[in-house]
Amino acid sequence: MLPPVKTDAEWDAVVADETVMRPGVEDICARLGFAGAPLTRFPDGTQPVYAVGAEHVLKLFPSSAARDGVVEGRVLSHIQGQLPIPTPRVRDFGPYENGWQYVLMSRLPGENLARAWHSVPQDDRERLVTEIGAALAVLHSLDTEPLGDVLGPGDWGAFIDRQTDTATDRQRAHGLSQAWLEQIPAFLASVSLPRSPHRSLLHTEVMRAHLLVDPDGWRLTGLFDFEPAAIGDHAYDFVGVGLFVTGGDPALLTGLTTSYGRDFDPRVLLAYTLLHRYSNLPWYMRELPTPAEGTLDALAETWFGTR
């Protein structure tokens, strides 16, 4: 019932149209034993996501992103019950018509931490980031071998080379000013990144928007959205952490990395920021403190420095 989606134009035409999406969602639910269950679409997220009753969530991936659906199902199944922060329990995942993939998972309780952050007292923020650091340490310690057939990038050194070759052009496409653009090649050349790191299981987008919290005591109740998971250098995961969890606050980052068990060179983390698959430096600069000294070295210390 869902049409093929192979291009961005086809995606734009389909994803927002509930007259197209809803019949397919209802059909999938019926096949999975949830015929007639109340369906509520979540407003956030790249992929269509629906609450199925009060206890389940259905996430859909079109043919153009079908591999992401396989990744989400496999990774969530692999890590189930192993992290100190709850993750969704996979009830079923697999292919649907016209190349679509679905993942049916348990619904986690709590409020989105990004929306709740302004209400979280400072003491609780400090505790929450230490819990996130501890959870990341566990995630990065898990065996990656069972996921080697589905998670990239495979050759980490080759990934670094590809991202380095395109880093300046990608930031230019986002509107980064020439004064910053011209610093990127020399900065990246000056930072030593491992080409064959220990293979860690990475979430790659650990951020407040992907965490849930119970306001009654500010307890973490969930970490979700594992579709961009990868295998690689554990430092890569601290891009999202530094930008979107601790938000350029050196005290919070210190607490998080202390709980994790090690700290990181700020220049390494900024290098990975520039190389990240979803990097958008102008956006980060609008959201985070930017140093008066307009250099990438100063930016690294501002965003990823600890104390």
Side-chain angles (χ1 to χ4, degrees):
M1 287 188 178
L2 293 174
V5 175
K6 298 181 180 179
T7 67
D8 289 343
E10 290 174 341
W11 176 245
D12 291 340
V14 166
V15 68
D17 190 345
E18 280 295 276
T19 65
V20 176
M21 293 299 304
R22 183 64 61 122
V25 172
E26 291 174 347
D27 184 54
I28 294 173
C29 287
R31 296 185 187 193
L32 296 175
F34 293 93
L39 297 174
T40 304
R41 184 165 178 172
F42 292 100
D44 302 324
T46 304
Q47 309 299 344
V49 183
Y50 294 80
V52 182
E55 297 183 357
H56 295 89
V57 169
L58 181 69
K59 189 171 184 178
L60 301 178
F61 302 82
S63 53
S64 58
R67 184 174 178 82
D68 292 342
V70 176
V71 167
E72 182 109 66
R74 289 279 300 278
V75 173
L76 285 176
S77 298
H78 178 64
I79 67 174
Q80 185 167 295
Q82 299 197 66
L83 301 187
I85 302 175
T87 55
R89 290 182 172 270
V90 175
R91 305 305 188 193
D92 200 348
F93 73 99
Y96 183 58
E97 298 172 359
N98 292 322
W100 286 74
Q101 290 276 334
Y102 68 87
V103 180
L104 180 71
M105 64 193 93
S106 64
R107 183 174 181 178
L108 298 171
E111 293 185 15
N112 189 282
L113 183 57
R115 290 191 285 270
W117 186 255
H118 70 280
S119 299
V120 182
Q122 183 63 27
D123 287 350
D124 290 300
R125 290 182 179 185
E126 293 171 1
R127 176 180 49 78
L128 288 173
V129 299
T130 65
E131 293 173 2
I132 293 167
L136 268 178
V138 175
L139 177 67
H140 293 168
S141 73
L142 297 180
D143 183 14
T144 62
E145 189 64 29
L147 299 171
D149 63 324
V150 71
L151 292 187
D155 185 331
W156 189 255
F159 168 72
I160 294 301
D161 290 342
R162 290 194 302 271
Q163 297 301 99
T164 299
D165 290 344
T166 60
T168 302
D169 288 340
R170 287 185 289 114
Q171 298 303 333
R172 180 181 291 111
H174 290 308
L176 187 64
S177 71
Q178 186 62 31
W180 290 100
L181 287 170
E182 62 189 18
Q183 298 179 51
I184 292 175
F187 179 82
L188 290 176
S190 72
V191 179
S192 178
L193 298 176
R195 299 188 63 81
S196 299
H198 174 76
R199 290 168 58 82
S200 296
L201 177 56
L202 310 174
H203 183 287
T204 80
E205 290 194 306
V206 177
M207 49 204 300
R208 296 173 200 162
H210 295 153
L211 288 156
L212 297 172
V213 65
D214 181 355
D216 185 11
W218 301 112
R219 177 177 56 88
L220 287 169
T221 58
L223 172 63
F224 60 96
D225 205 356
F226 280 81
E227 67 184 72
I231 296 174
D233 184 9
H234 58 178
Y236 188 83
D237 246 347
F238 282 81
V239 173
V241 166
L243 297 175
F244 297 114
V245 175
T246 59
D249 184 323
L252 288 180
L253 185 58
T254 298
L256 194 149
T257 56
T258 299
S259 177
Y260 180 80
R262 63 156 295 172
D263 56 12
F264 298 91
D265 182 344
R267 299 178 81 251
V268 167
L269 297 189
L270 185 62
Y272 274 140
T273 299
L274 292 165
L275 302 179
H276 198 282
R277 287 181 293 179
Y278 306 122
S279 180
N280 187 334
L281 211 61
W283 175 35
Y284 308 154
M285 288 177 165
R286 291 192 295 270
E287 299 294 320
L288 297 172
T290 302
E293 179 187 350
T295 68
L296 289 175
D297 283 320
L299 193 64
E301 191 61 38
T302 299
W303 289 352
F304 300 110
T306 57
R307 71 180 188 195

